[in-house]
Amino acid sequence: MQQTQSSQKATSYNPKEVESRYYEFWEKAGYFEIDGNKAIQKSGKNFCIMLPPPNVTGSLHIGHALNHTLIDIITRFKRMDGYKTLWQPGLDHAGIATQNVVEKQLLKDGIQKEDLGREGFIKKVWEWKEKSGGMILNQMRKLGSSPAWSRTRFTMDEGLQNAVREVFVKLYDEGLIIQGEYLVNWCTHDGALSDIEVEYRENQGKLYYLRYFLEDSKDYVVVATTRPETYFGDSAVMVNPQDERFRHLIGKSVVLPLLGRKIPIIADSYVDREFGTGAVKVTPAHDVNDYEVGRRHNLEQIVIFDKDGILNENAGEFVGLERLEARSRIVEKLESLGFVEKIEDYKNQVGHCYRCGNVIEPYLSKQWFLKKEVAVGAIEKINADASRFFPQQWKNNYNAWMRELRDWCISRQLWWGHQIPVFYCGDCGGQFASVETPKSCKHCESLNITQDPDVLDTWFSSALWPFSTLGCANGEFGKGELWNLNDMQEFYPNSLLITGFDILFFWVARMLMMGEHFLKTLPYPDIYLHALVRDEFGNKMSKSKGNVVDPLEKIEEYSADVLRFTLAILCAQGRDVKLSSQQMEVSKNFTNKLYNATNFLLLNAERFPNLSELGIPKTPLGQYFTELLSQNIKEVREHLESYRFNDGASVLYRFLWNEFCDWGIELSKADKDSILELGAVFKESLLLLHPYMPFVSDYLWHRLDGSELEQSGSIMVRPFPSLSYTNAENFATFSKILDSIVSIRRAKATIDLANQKIAKAYVNVDIPQSMQVLFTSYVCKLAKVESLEIVQEKIPNCIVDITEKLESYLPIADIDLTPIIERLEKQAQKTQKEIIKLEAMLKNEKFVANAPKVVLETNQNALVEQRQKLEKITQELKTLRP
């Protein structure tokens, strides 16, 4: 589709038409691929950034939009700056989350996953992946994202499956992956979870005081517990050895209520003497701390419910009941038999599954673990500053978490995911790990082998993302298409990671330890962690609050450029983004301002040359704006290089709106010879803007260029501006020209002559003789003054206005100031009455004592404002009166 004559003269910008058309051309032209900018690539300059792969569980939210916008800004900047650039796109299979989504969909049709079997269910998940994944990638296109689409990866594609198996087998052979009976976080719906997948919420629960009778005695010990249903798994009662109240009981036994099972009373300094009664029950198979105590004291580990949370035969008469539903019935029975001392209200923190919200149970089960020692190298290198965090305080958070690091439970009781590549022999009982699916046992060659049914935690495969996507351990899959032989050399380590702070431990820390362990190099020299996107009042977005923002709706309403620029200008390092409609409107007006500036320039010329074609600017105004542009290019580059995206956006906004669109266009009306140079400056500034607002910048550049996108190509593969131009005397003069225009206009407004031409004005300013004609020419035209005189002393009988650089004087001898003075005197009287009224109110002790705080503050602020207003009026009257 070619740019028509009518579009050249369009009176309003149509972002929907432009964004759709331009993106389609960009993608087809191959600009996003690693050689899309080959014509401007510089030898040895490579840039690689990984997309945090979205989960194939639905659609993108506003947090994704922020993340993708920042990645795209830095990618477009590097691409234009001559780097061979890889923005690696992809999707994550998201084991638990995706399986839950598909299970729920099947249940709507009355189908359980077991009805389909493992293979049939996985086939259904792949169908969902194709639907959801395609939707997510198209949403990215709507935002203007520019990744290398031809290299899109999926954490379950054949190549990445191979990489996962190779890494697992290597760690297994090194003894860093182990299997055993461990106490894990257990969701009765989703199975085992790692520590950071558990969300703790405040719970208004109960503290139950239970009587455990001593063996062959009517005496008893009272223990306090928040989970009375777990007492079936008790192996001991524990007291602090320093607690005089219980020292005589240590070594004796109590009998568990209802069960009649004897358990010992033991001593351990772990017991908090202030909690409950000072005596606690020990349930090694269902409590993290009790598990450690049980190992120290060699206590029995008694599991009381199955993987679905159903009480087993160890629970006596309550067998078959769901653990939480059974609680009230168990307590009721204990109360009826006199085993409950009392029940109190109690606030505590209860763990919940981060996916389904189910209450988590510590549960003893056979699981696979990655030993914490694998992270040692990454921890050392982070603290040797081999990688930098932005903002830097996240390094402290990383270290705090790593200090508490435990072995990572990597097995999950799911069907969807990377099935653990461990095989068991039914004949010799052997166990071995293998990258390839074996036909026989490696120990005895028996054909009676089975694969471990569990899958790996989603984050295990995601931890390999920085290098597995580059072909590392992919086998032959995707070679030459999804990855190239020299990718690891050119793009590992990656250049930068941009992601949300909330997955620092889920993902970032694990990528660091895997990259360092296998490749001896951290995957990222720079790690930028952005904050959350909140609503305009700072509230976290949630469906229940009704404040969720759909990025596609905002793009439809405003445009992709507006949403991108808004997110960027609000994204200060370390601060949450408060997204507001007001800021969206500001960005929309900014787009319109740029469009109108383009229309104005095109009224004066059909085509504008590139700045490089013009050489050194010849007009003073062209020189001034070329120097301004030079300064702003330097600032934007510095901000982008240090990932201060909001500062870069603010510089662009200030330069393009305040300096160019306001002053540049107005000043050009006084010097038509400068138009071509100003147009060239504006074209160059659109290149500067392009990473932030790719669509409108490309569109307006081609309008000013008088060219067609399809023939001349996109500006996204033109060099990013790099300019160094100075003319100090000229620049200083224009700074004073602007100051003088503002000053004289302000002085004229004082005497109600704001838009009228006046005969004479004086400016007390230091201007070189050679620049005085230029100075007076611009000031006279734009301040509407017939005659301007540069002076070095104060002129009497004048209105005076003072700025940092100069003073302006307007003679008042020939002006009838009577009506102006009368108006100001009336304003002074009215203001004085308001001050008296407010002072009386605030001196009234009864009013001050009874008025709400907000009313008092409002009146106090009003009094300050009125006094300031009166002072200003008084000063104006002093100036005007003879």
Side-chain angles (χ1 to χ4, degrees):
M1 179 178 176
Q2 291 192 346
Q3 187 168 316
T4 62
Q5 189 66 22
S6 60
S7 69
Q8 284 275 22
K9 297 179 180 178
T11 56
S12 61
Y13 177 55
N14 183 351
K16 290 180 186 176
E17 186 274 331
V18 168
E19 291 180 359
S20 173
R21 170 190 155 202
Y22 273 54
Y23 194 91
E24 183 180 358
F25 176 78
W26 293 340
E27 187 173 351
K28 284 182 178 177
Y31 293 140
F32 306 156
E33 305 302 325
I34 60 173
D35 283 329
N37 65 337
K38 196 167 185 65
I40 62 169
Q41 282 181 12
K42 300 169 186 174
S43 178
K45 295 183 76 171
N46 301 316
F47 177 81
C48 176
I49 191 165
M50 294 282 158
L51 175 73
N55 295 341
V56 286
T57 50
S59 57
L60 299 183
H61 53 66
I62 197 67
H64 289 117
L66 170 63
N67 186 254
H68 295 187
T69 292
L70 300 183
I71 293 173
D72 198 55
I73 288 170
I74 199 73
T75 300
R76 287 178 181 270
F77 165 57
K78 293 294 184 179
R79 186 184 289 126
M80 294 175 74
D81 212 28
Y83 285 76
K84 185 175 187 178
T85 303
L86 169 61
W87 173 5
Q88 175 65 57
L91 298 164
D92 196 292
H93 67 280
I96 291 176
T98 306
Q99 179 157 323
N100 280 341
V101 167
V102 177
E103 278 193 68
K104 287 175 183 176
Q105 289 177 342
L106 290 172
L107 285 173
K108 289 179 182 178
D109 298 325
I111 303 171
Q112 293 190 335
K113 71 178 190 296
E114 289 76 13
D115 299 334
L116 299 174
R118 185 166 190 151
E119 286 188 16
F121 176 73
I122 289 175
K123 183 180 177 183
K124 287 289 184 185
V125 182
W126 275 103
E127 290 173 4
W128 165 256
K129 177 264 172 184
E130 292 303 316
K131 177 182 176 183
S132 174
M135 180 167 60
I136 288 170
L137 299 182
N138 285 330
Q139 287 176 318
M140 289 179 63
R141 288 176 167 91
K142 287 284 187 184
L143 189 65
S145 301
S146 62
W149 288 119
S150 70
R151 300 172 59 117
T152 303
R153 303 303 300 267
F154 180 50
T155 52
M156 287 278 286
D157 73 31
E158 187 180 324
L160 298 194
Q161 286 195 47
N162 195 76
V164 167
R165 289 193 299 268
E166 281 204 18
V167 166
F168 183 96
V169 171
K170 188 172 189 298
L171 290 166
Y172 178 92
D173 291 342
E174 290 173 347
L176 290 169
I177 286 181
I178 56 174
Q179 186 187 40
E181 291 277 348
Y182 285 85
L183 198 69
V184 297
N185 302 300
W186 188 267
C187 172
T188 56
H189 181 265
D190 294 320
L193 301 176
S194 65
D195 292 344
I196 56 175
E197 290 173 313
V198 179
E199 292 180 348
Y200 288 90
R201 306 175 195 165
E202 187 174 276
N203 176 62
Q204 186 63 58
K206 302 288 184 182
L207 189 60
Y208 302 86
Y209 290 80
L210 306 182
R211 294 168 178 165
Y212 287 13
F213 283 83
L214 294 169
E215 183 183 13
D216 300 324
S217 172
K218 292 183 180 180
D219 294 331
Y220 56 82
V221 176
V222 177
V223 299
T225 178
T226 58
R227 301 161 67 217
E229 68 278 3
T230 64
Y231 94 89
F232 301 116
D234 288 359
S235 296
V237 167
M238 181 168 58
V239 297
N240 193 296
Q242 305 303 318
D243 196 329
E244 295 290 344
R245 294 173 296 173
F246 302 109
R247 187 173 290 178
H248 65 289
L249 297 176
I250 297 170
K252 295 185 177 182
S253 296
V254 295
V255 180
L256 285 178
L258 307 183
L259 298 178
R261 178 161 54 84
K262 290 191 298 183
I263 59 174
I265 297 174
I266 63 173
D268 196 290
S269 58
Y270 169 74
V271 178
D272 178 3
R273 286 183 283 181
E274 303 302 317
F275 176 77
T277 63
V280 297
K281 57 198 281 303
V282 185
T283 319
H286 294 284
D287 183 273
V288 175
N289 297 312
D290 290 1
Y291 176 74
E292 297 299 330
V293 169
R295 292 178 68 180
R296 284 201 296 274
H297 294 268
N298 198 29
L299 297 176
E300 186 180 2
Q301 297 173 332
I302 304 169
V303 177
I304 65 165
F305 55 77
D306 65 15
K307 64 184 181 66
D308 298 316
I310 306 301
L311 294 175
N312 61 23
E313 63 278 1
N314 291 319
E317 65 187 88
F318 299 100
V319 62
L321 295 178
E322 199 280 330
R323 54 174 180 144
L324 296 179
E325 293 173 1
R327 179 178 294 174
S328 60
R329 292 177 60 175
I330 294 168
V331 171
E332 185 180 343
K333 184 66 178 281
L334 290 170
E335 281 185 304
S336 70
L337 297 176
F339 290 113
V340 178
E341 176 91 359
K342 62 179 177 177
I343 302 173
E344 296 177 342
D345 290 335
Y346 187 73
K347 279 186 181 179
N348 63 341
Q349 296 286 318
V350 174
H352 292 76
C353 175
Y354 81 117
R355 283 298 180 190
C356 68
N358 200 2
V359 173
I360 293 298
E361 290 285 354
Y363 183 66
L364 192 66
S365 68
K366 200 171 189 178
Q367 300 289 340
W368 289 99
F369 289 82
L370 177 62
K371 297 182 74 172
K372 62 184 179 181
E373 284 76 13
V374 77
V376 170
I379 296 170
E380 289 176 351
K381 287 184 178 177
I382 285 292
N383 285 286
D385 294 324
S387 288
R388 299 181 299 169
F389 284 98
F390 297 82
Q392 64 182 8
Q393 61 262 30
W394 283 112
K395 178 180 175 181
N396 297 330
N397 294 65
Y398 170 85
N399 281 326
W401 186 69
M402 298 307 272
R403 279 195 296 270
E404 304 297 323
L405 193 64
R406 298 197 302 171
D407 291 350
W408 172 17
C409 177
I410 57 173
S411 46
R412 297 290 182 269
Q413 290 64 53
L414 302 169
W415 284 353
W416 174 243
H418 294 270
Q419 194 169 350
I420 291 175
V422 171
F423 300 85
Y424 306 100
C425 180
D427 292 329
C428 75
Q431 176 195 100
F432 60 97
S434 174
V435 174
E436 304 297 332
T437 302
K439 293 180 180 179
S440 61
C441 174
K442 68 179 288 187
H443 302 297
C444 70
E445 298 186 357
S446 167
L447 302 180
N448 183 21
I449 57 172
T450 56
Q451 186 173 356
D452 193 302
D454 287 353
V455 300
L456 287 164
D457 178 11
T458 296
W459 299 104
F460 188 94
S461 54
S462 299
L464 316 182
W465 191 250
F467 54 88
S468 63
T469 53
L470 301 177
C472 185
N474 276 220
E476 291 296 307
F477 178 82
K479 183 178 176 181
E481 294 180 4
L482 295 175
W483 55 274
N484 299 321
L485 283 173
N486 57 348
D487 278 354
M488 286 296 292
Q489 180 183 348
E490 292 185 331
F491 298 127
Y492 191 89
N494 307 162
S495 308
L496 165 69
L497 173 68
I498 296 179
T499 191
F501 75 90
D502 52 331
I503 54 174
L504 170 58
F505 309 124
F506 281 104
W507 190 44
V508 180
R510 286 164 174 170
M511 287 190 290
L512 293 173
M513 68 185 187
M514 289 296 209
E516 195 285 328
H517 183 76
F518 285 99
L519 301 168
K520 305 308 175 190
T521 307
L522 294 175
Y524 307 104
D526 291 344
I527 301 166
Y528 176 98
L529 299 171
H530 61 74
L532 297 176
V533 183
R534 298 180 179 269
D535 69 15
E536 58 189 306
F537 305 108
N539 299 314
K540 192 172 181 179
M541 293 185 185
S542 68
K543 290 180 181 178
S544 61
K545 291 178 182 176
N547 62 348
V548 173
V549 173
D550 183 340
L552 288 187
E553 288 181 4
K554 291 301 176 186
I555 290 172
E556 179 71 18
E557 183 179 359
Y558 289 101
S559 80
D561 280 330
V562 168
L563 177 60
R564 289 167 62 107
F565 195 79
T566 301
L567 290 169
I569 204 167
L570 293 174
C571 188
Q573 283 187 16
R575 296 212 304 267
D576 287 334
V577 173
K578 294 181 181 179
L579 186 62
S580 67
S581 296
Q582 181 183 3
Q583 185 58 51
M584 294 288 287
E585 290 293 334
V586 169
S587 299
K588 179 182 177 182
N589 293 338
F590 181 46
T591 304
N592 292 335
K593 192 82 168 178
L594 299 173
Y595 185 81
N596 292 333
T598 301
N599 285 346
F600 169 80
L601 290 167
L602 288 171
L603 290 174
N604 295 276
E606 291 185 1
R607 179 192 176 275
F608 291 87
N610 296 326
L611 197 59
S612 58
E613 295 173 33
L614 288 177
I616 297 174
K618 297 175 176 58
T619 69
L621 186 57
Q623 292 169 3
Y624 173 66
F625 270 95
T626 300
E627 186 163 352
L628 264 181
L629 175 64
S630 180
Q631 294 172 0
N632 283 276
I633 288 171
K634 183 173 181 290
E635 286 188 60
V636 171
R637 278 183 168 275
E638 287 174 351
H639 293 321
L640 287 175
E641 293 287 5
S642 55
Y643 318 126
R644 297 196 301 274
F645 297 99
N646 65 307
D647 290 334
S650 297
V651 169
L652 287 162
Y653 184 87
R654 179 197 69 205
F655 172 66
L656 285 164
W657 184 303
N658 299 339
E659 293 170 341
F660 189 90
C661 292
D662 281 353
W663 278 115
I665 287 175
E666 187 170 5
L667 290 166
S668 74
K669 295 171 185 176
D671 181 9
K672 294 294 184 183
D673 292 341
S674 66
I675 286 288
L676 277 183
E677 291 178 344
L678 289 182
V681 166
F682 191 57
K683 278 181 72 179
E684 196 74 5
S685 68
L686 291 172
L687 296 175
L688 196 64
L689 177 67
H690 181 77
Y692 286 87
M693 304 180 86
F695 295 105
V696 72
S697 59
D698 211 354
Y699 171 72
L700 295 180
W701 189 94
H702 279 91
R703 286 191 67 204
L704 292 167
D705 193 59
S707 60
E708 308 286 351
L709 171 71
E710 291 78 3
Q711 276 70 53
S712 64
S714 171
I715 65 172
M716 70 180 292
V717 289
R718 287 180 175 271
F720 195 77
S722 181
L723 178 65
S724 180
Y725 174 83
T726 58
N727 183 331
E729 187 176 69
N730 184 75
F731 192 86
T733 300
F734 268 96
S735 298
K736 292 170 183 176
I737 286 172
L738 302 188
D739 232 30
S740 181
I741 293 168
V742 170
S743 179
I744 292 172
R745 285 175 175 174
R746 195 161 52 208
K748 286 167 65 180
T750 305
I751 52 177
D752 293 348
L753 295 175
N755 293 315
Q756 297 180 39
K757 197 165 191 176
I758 61 173
K760 183 76 174 179
Y762 302 90
V763 179
N764 187 341
V765 64
D766 182 22
I767 296 288
Q769 186 68 37
S770 61
M771 306 299 287
Q772 289 189 3
V773 172
L774 176 71
F775 179 87
T776 55
S777 171
Y778 273 100
V779 175
C780 284
K781 288 177 183 176
L782 296 178
K784 293 186 179 179
V785 177
E786 289 182 6
S787 173
L788 179 72
E789 187 175 336
I790 297 172
V791 297
Q792 301 301 316
E793 58 185 7
K794 186 173 182 179
I795 306 298
N797 300 319
C798 287
I799 298 290
V800 181
D801 185 88
I802 302 171
T803 75
E804 288 185 10
K805 297 183 176 72
L806 49 83
E807 293 183 8
S808 299
Y809 314 122
L810 305 187
I812 56 176
D814 299 326
I815 300 172
D816 183 7
L817 299 176
T818 305
I820 299 170
I821 292 172
E822 289 176 353
R823 172 175 57 78
L824 288 172
E825 286 175 340
K826 287 179 181 178
Q827 286 182 5
Q829 291 171 6
K830 183 179 178 182
T831 305
Q832 186 63 57
K833 286 180 182 178
E834 187 64 23
I835 289 172
I836 292 169
K837 174 183 154 189
L838 288 166
E839 286 177 337
M841 195 181 298
L842 292 170
K843 286 177 183 176
N844 186 324
E845 293 180 3
K846 189 174 180 181
F847 170 78
V848 171
N850 296 319
K853 183 180 178 182
V854 66
V855 173
L856 280 175
E857 289 179 353
T858 300
N859 282 284
Q860 288 165 349
N861 291 336
L863 180 59
V864 171
E865 289 174 6
Q866 291 299 318
R867 283 173 175 167
Q868 289 173 345
K869 182 178 177 182
L870 181 61
E871 184 180 348
K872 184 178 178 183
I873 294 170
T874 303
Q875 189 60 41
E876 288 181 6
L877 283 169
K878 184 178 178 182
T879 303
L880 295 174
R881 283 175 177 149

